[in-house]
Amino acid sequence: MPTFPKAAHDAVRDETLRANLRHATHTIRDKRARAVAELDDWAELREAGRRIKDHTLRHLDRYLLQLEEAVTAAGGTVHWAADADEANRIVADLVKATGETEVVKVKSMATQEIGLNEALAAEGIRAYETDLAELIVQLGDDRPSHILVPAIHRNRAEIRDVFRSEMARWGRPAPDDLTDTPAELAEAARLHLREKFLRARVGISGANFMVAETGTLVVVESEGNGRMCLTLPETLISVVGIEKVVPTWRDLEVFLQTLPRSSTAERMNPYTSMWTGTTDGDGPESFHLVLLDAGRTDVLADATGRQALRCIRCSACLNVCPVYERAGGHAYGSVYPGPIGAILTPQLRGTASEIDASLPYASSLCGACYEVCPVAIDIPEVLVHLRERVAGQGGPGHRLERAAVRAAGWVLDRPGVLAAGERLAARTRGLHPKNPPGAGAWTGSRDLPEVPAEPFREWWRKNRS
């Protein structure tokens, strides 16, 4: 993947992409604002969510062990995965043990993060995405562009064309006379997926939350595909990041109010599925929970950066971000796009690569993301914190930046030198270049401020009396 500036440079010139993003994000955020305004205690719920998450992260070891004990007591099996490779190996072995070569999946960002579909394919196992937007992405050999609406970059005509050309390759073909009306597109997807639901014996899911006190997992969704994946297969495998745990059902109640309104602008998700272990004669006969670390404990060790682990994946920050609206999700080079991706991905993967080092700069620091976050993640604070880390490790551009800051510090420590420099800059203002060396990243999209004709120090001496 190219760095964010390079990817965004191309994305902002795609007029269709920008139109799709602008229409979708403005629609979602306007609906969200109305849904949130219905609650007089939204600020209190937001603060409660922040405190619950911070408390849980401070005591994560205790709550994860409590969760493991509860899941095991309810008939499930818990597996611990330190990284993506270990998680993929665990899941692949579990599927192969059933003798199956196909699985159905609930939309899961954790499995996208670790590249599970590709890992299963390498083992001869085909994974079918069942979320409508994820289905569109999979059929189009595409990548998700949004947390809530992975196919947000596609319009209806593009989706119709993908269904017509690709559905037959994956199963039941689309009708020959398929149009781009939403009802017909949804019906084509429904018929295509129904045969997979009824045939599959293994389901793979993530989870929005895990309740430590009972070992209960929770998935919220709007289409019903999750309910089918979670109840029909004989074996259910859930891959969940360790930060998704909450201590009690009372804590869960807070998030079941804030997540729907912040994500889909609904008072309650149409489908809220909960399961605890296994039950004879009802649902899967075998349940496996894979608890995924993959860099999360490293994030936890950073007092400033750890607030990114509060995230409940509502996507509200994406829908208000002026940068995301113009660049789209693909420019971030990660399954986590937008403002939350700009702070979460560099912490999970590190900042050694150029793409990850560029992500903390993919922001105007306007603060809109913080204002809408239902768990009060101060994304601008973390962005600045990560920029400091990237600058500290050096690299192209940052060595010059560090030298400039050191030079500025030397001058600012010497008032006489500073005053002489101000006078010289004012008297030579007509000779200043519009694009000085080393400032191309700034002057490529904005003008340098003009030096005043008279330094403030001189003006003050003349006018202070």
Side-chain angles (χ1 to χ4, degrees):
M1 286 295 299
T3 62
F4 180 85
K6 294 178 181 177
H9 180 273
D10 296 333
V12 297
R13 284 160 174 75
D14 186 334
E15 294 185 3
T16 300
L17 172 66
R18 291 186 62 173
N20 293 345
L21 290 170
R22 181 170 57 252
H23 172 73
T25 55
H26 284 224
T27 299
I28 296 171
R29 77 191 192 194
D30 290 346
K31 290 174 61 180
R32 177 200 175 276
R34 291 193 295 271
V36 167
E38 293 178 351
L39 296 182
D40 293 334
D41 61 346
W42 178 259
E44 288 78 7
L45 284 169
R46 184 176 188 247
E47 176 63 13
R50 183 191 69 79
R51 292 190 178 193
I52 290 168
K53 280 289 188 176
D54 282 350
H55 166 81
T56 307
L57 292 172
R58 284 196 301 272
H59 305 283
L60 191 57
D61 53 345
R62 171 159 59 93
Y63 288 120
L64 287 173
L65 292 175
Q66 183 183 8
L67 174 74
E68 179 186 33
E69 183 178 346
V71 170
T72 304
T77 303
V78 177
H79 310 262
W80 297 81
D83 54 28
D85 290 341
E86 186 173 8
N88 289 333
R89 185 169 61 252
I90 291 170
V91 176
D93 289 345
L94 290 172
V95 177
K96 287 192 287 187
T98 68
E100 294 296 307
T101 58
E102 294 182 340
V103 300
V104 289
K105 286 184 64 197
V106 188
K107 176 185 173 185
S108 165
M109 301 205 74
T111 59
Q112 292 171 6
E113 176 190 333
I114 63 176
L116 179 62
N117 287 10
E118 294 78 9
L120 291 178
E123 299 287 342
I125 301 166
R126 200 171 198 182
Y128 296 107
E129 297 290 350
T130 64
D131 174 83
L132 176 56
E134 290 288 356
L135 173 66
I136 295 165
V137 169
Q138 185 175 52
L139 292 178
D141 193 23
D142 202 350
R143 292 179 293 116
S145 180
H146 192 276
I147 291 176
L148 178 66
V149 194
I152 195 172
H153 56 292
R154 298 282 196 180
N155 59 37
R156 293 184 303 176
E158 291 173 315
I159 295 169
R160 176 205 59 206
D161 294 342
V162 168
F163 280 11
R164 282 179 174 177
S165 63
E166 301 298 330
M167 263 189 172
R169 206 163 51 85
W170 289 80
R172 180 178 178 133
D176 294 334
D177 59 349
L178 180 66
T179 71
D180 64 357
T181 60
E184 288 195 30
L185 294 173
E187 181 64 14
R190 186 179 297 112
L191 293 174
H192 177 82
L193 291 171
R194 187 57 57 100
E195 66 177 22
K196 293 179 170 51
F197 287 135
L198 297 177
R199 186 176 67 228
R201 296 177 59 192
V202 179
I204 295 178
S205 83
N208 293 97
F209 307 101
M210 302 180 291
V211 183
E213 69 177 350
T214 59
T216 301
L217 273 71
V218 183
V219 164
V220 297
E221 37 117 7
S222 300
E223 301 166 9
N225 63 295
R227 184 70 56 85
M228 302 284 275
C229 288
L230 296 167
T231 58
L232 292 179
E234 297 173 4
T235 299
L236 174 61
I237 305 167
S238 299
V239 182
V240 190
I242 56 176
E243 80 281 13
K244 294 297 187 69
V245 67
V246 296
T248 68
W249 280 83
R250 176 172 290 182
D251 300 321
L252 176 65
E253 184 264 344
V254 172
F255 300 111
L256 291 184
Q257 294 185 72
T258 55
L259 178 56
R261 291 177 187 269
S262 270
S263 57
T264 56
E266 296 169 299
R267 297 180 181 91
M268 182 177 181
N269 288 101
Y271 294 89
T272 301
S273 300
M274 305 181 183
W275 67 99
T276 307
T278 60
T279 302
D280 292 339
D282 184 15
E285 299 172 5
S286 175
F287 169 57
H288 297 269
L289 171 60
V290 180
L291 291 172
L292 177 68
D293 186 331
R296 286 159 173 79
T297 51
D298 293 333
V299 181
L300 195 63
D302 187 326
T304 301
R306 76 166 65 120
Q307 57 185 302
L309 296 180
R310 292 185 207 149
C311 179
I312 58 175
R313 309 293 192 266
C314 71
S315 77
C317 61
L318 280 70
N319 299 324
V320 299
C321 177
V323 177
Y324 174 85
E325 180 185 323
R326 289 157 178 82
H330 292 160
Y332 293 82
S334 165
V335 66
Y336 302 110
I340 187 61
I343 65 170
L344 185 58
T345 300
Q347 295 192 87
L348 293 177
R349 300 196 309 208
T351 54
S353 70
E354 288 190 1
I355 174 63
D356 293 323
S358 71
L359 290 178
Y361 297 88
S363 171
S364 65
L365 298 181
C366 69
C369 49
Y370 171 63
E371 295 300 325
V372 299
C373 178
V375 286
I377 301 172
D378 194 339
I379 293 177
E381 178 188 32
V382 183
L383 286 168
V384 173
H385 173 66
L386 293 175
R387 290 181 185 186
E388 181 181 0
R389 179 187 302 177
V390 172
Q393 69 189 24
H398 296 298
R399 283 189 290 269
L400 179 61
E401 178 186 17
R402 291 167 67 183
V405 170
R406 282 196 295 268
W410 185 88
V411 171
L412 292 171
D413 278 340
R414 292 159 176 82
V417 176
L418 177 60
E422 289 173 344
R423 289 193 297 272
L424 179 63
R427 291 167 185 168
T428 60
R429 57 199 298 263
L431 304 176
H432 296 172
K434 296 295 183 182
N435 298 295
W442 177 273
T443 58
S445 57
R446 56 181 72 81
D447 294 328
L448 284 176
E450 287 190 11
V451 175
E454 182 180 40
F456 177 75
R457 293 169 185 265
E458 292 188 8
W459 179 93
W460 180 254
R461 278 195 293 270
K462 294 176 183 177
N463 296 280
R464 62 182 177 180
S465 59

